[in-house]
Amino acid sequence: MSSIELIAHRGNAAEFPENTLPALRSALELGLRHLSIGVQLTRDGEAVVLHDHDLRRTAGCEGSVLDLSITEAVAVEVAERDRFSDRFAGTRLPRLSDVAKLLSDWPDATLFVELRRASLARHGAEKFVSAVLAALRDCADRCVLVSPDLPAIELARVRGPARVGWMLPAVDSHSHLKCEALCPDFVFIDERKLPAGVSLWRGPWRWAVHEVASLPQALVLAARGAGFIQTMRVRALARELISRAP
C-alpha cells in the first residue's frame, strides 16, 4: 500500500466546530500530526482562525470578521449551532497565536495555514503574511503557509522560516510551468479538479489532495502520487488506515 499521511482539515471538523481549539486538539489526540486551518485578518490586522470571513455559517450571526476588531472577534461564539445545537456553546473564535500555543504541546505536529482570499483582498499580501508569521513566531519552522495567490506565497518564502504550499487552480500545462518556476514545498489540489487517470507531476514538491472522504478514494490518489490526503473524516479514515496496516 502506498504511504498516506492524513491532514486534519479544520481539525476534527466532523465531531467539533471547525477551526476551533477543541477540533484541533481532538485531531492531535487521535494521533494525527498534520492539521490545516484557514486564517483571516480582523479590521485591526490580527490573525484569527476562520474559513469564511462571513460569520453566518459558523457563528450564526450577520457580519464579517474583516470588520471586527480583535477584541470583538475573539468574543464571537463559533459553536456551529446548526450542526451541534448547544453542545459546544461558549466555543470562541481562536486567535492564530492560540493555535501556536496549542502546538507547543505537540512538537511533532505540522500546521498548514491557508491565507484566505478575502483577507488578502482587504489587507494585501504584505500585511497578511507579516501578521501570520508574527502569530506563529514560536513554531513557524513547523508551519506551511498555503495560498492560491502566487505573490503571497513568494513573499512568505522570502520572509521564512515557514514552508509554502500552492493551491492549484487546475492541473494543466500552464499551472505546471508555474509550479516548476515556484517550486513550492507542497502542492494542493481539490480532488474534484483532478483529471481522471492523470499521474501527478513529479518535482521537489509533495502533493496534498483535499475533499477526500473515503479510504478507497485516498488509496487511488496515493497510487497517483499524492502523499497527503486532507479530510474532515479524521477519526474514520485514521481507523481505516490503521486497520489496513501490516
Side-chain angles (χ1 to χ4, degrees):
M1 181 180 71
S2 300
S3 175
I4 300 174
E5 295 281 352
L6 294 183
I7 302 174
H9 189 32
R10 309 180 198 176
N12 182 6
E15 300 177 9
F16 294 84
E18 65 176 54
N19 279 325
T20 61
L21 293 178
L24 297 169
R25 186 178 294 108
S26 173
L28 291 166
E29 290 173 348
L30 286 170
L32 276 80
R33 291 297 175 266
H34 303 284
L35 308 173
S36 70
I37 58 175
V39 173
Q40 303 277 4
L41 289 193
T42 59
R43 183 182 69 222
D44 44 358
E46 294 289 332
V48 292
V49 184
L50 190 67
H51 186 269
D52 308 340
H53 74 91
D54 188 299
L55 296 167
R56 188 178 299 108
R57 183 175 61 85
T58 53
C61 61
E62 298 298 321
S64 168
V65 73
L66 307 180
D67 298 323
L68 302 181
S69 69
I70 185 60
T71 301
E72 295 166 332
V74 297
V76 172
E77 181 190 76
V78 283
E80 288 193 70
R81 288 178 178 268
D82 285 347
R83 278 210 294 158
F84 298 110
S85 186
D86 60 354
R87 180 179 172 192
F88 296 106
T91 301
R92 303 297 174 187
L93 178 66
R95 302 172 187 251
L96 182 56
S97 58
D98 296 330
V99 177
K101 290 177 184 176
L102 175 66
L103 284 188
S104 66
D105 294 329
W106 307 87
D108 57 343
T110 297
L111 182 68
F112 294 87
V113 180
E114 183 185 345
L115 309 178
R116 299 294 295 160
R117 287 182 184 272
S119 288
L120 274 172
R122 173 74 66 93
H123 292 281
E126 175 76 30
K127 185 173 182 179
F128 200 175
V129 170
S130 296
V132 167
L133 289 176
L136 298 173
R137 65 174 62 90
D138 295 330
C139 62
D141 59 332
R142 295 194 283 126
C143 297
V144 181
L145 270 56
V146 181
S147 176
D149 186 78
L150 289 174
I153 296 172
E154 291 167 347
L155 179 60
R157 168 170 280 164
V158 170
R159 294 291 178 82
R163 290 167 289 169
V164 298
W166 184 32
M167 299 184 71
L168 283 182
V171 179
D172 55 25
S173 58
H174 186 59
S175 295
H176 194 181
L177 289 173
K178 287 185 175 181
C179 198
E180 289 183 328
L182 178 66
C183 284
D185 300 286
F186 292 85
V187 177
F188 280 75
I189 185 68
D190 189 321
E191 191 275 336
R192 294 166 295 188
K193 293 182 179 180
L194 274 178
V198 175
S199 295
L200 301 177
W201 316 318
R202 294 189 177 186
W205 49 79
R206 304 177 75 181
W207 283 90
V209 182
H210 52 98
E211 306 303 336
V212 178
S214 72
L215 183 59
Q217 183 185 20
L219 294 174
V220 169
L221 292 166
R224 293 172 66 181
F228 290 81
I229 299 298
Q230 187 167 275
T231 185
M232 290 186 178
R233 295 189 65 243
V234 171
R235 186 186 299 272
L237 276 186
R239 282 178 173 172
E240 289 171 20
L241 275 176
I242 291 171
S243 69
R244 292 179 62 94

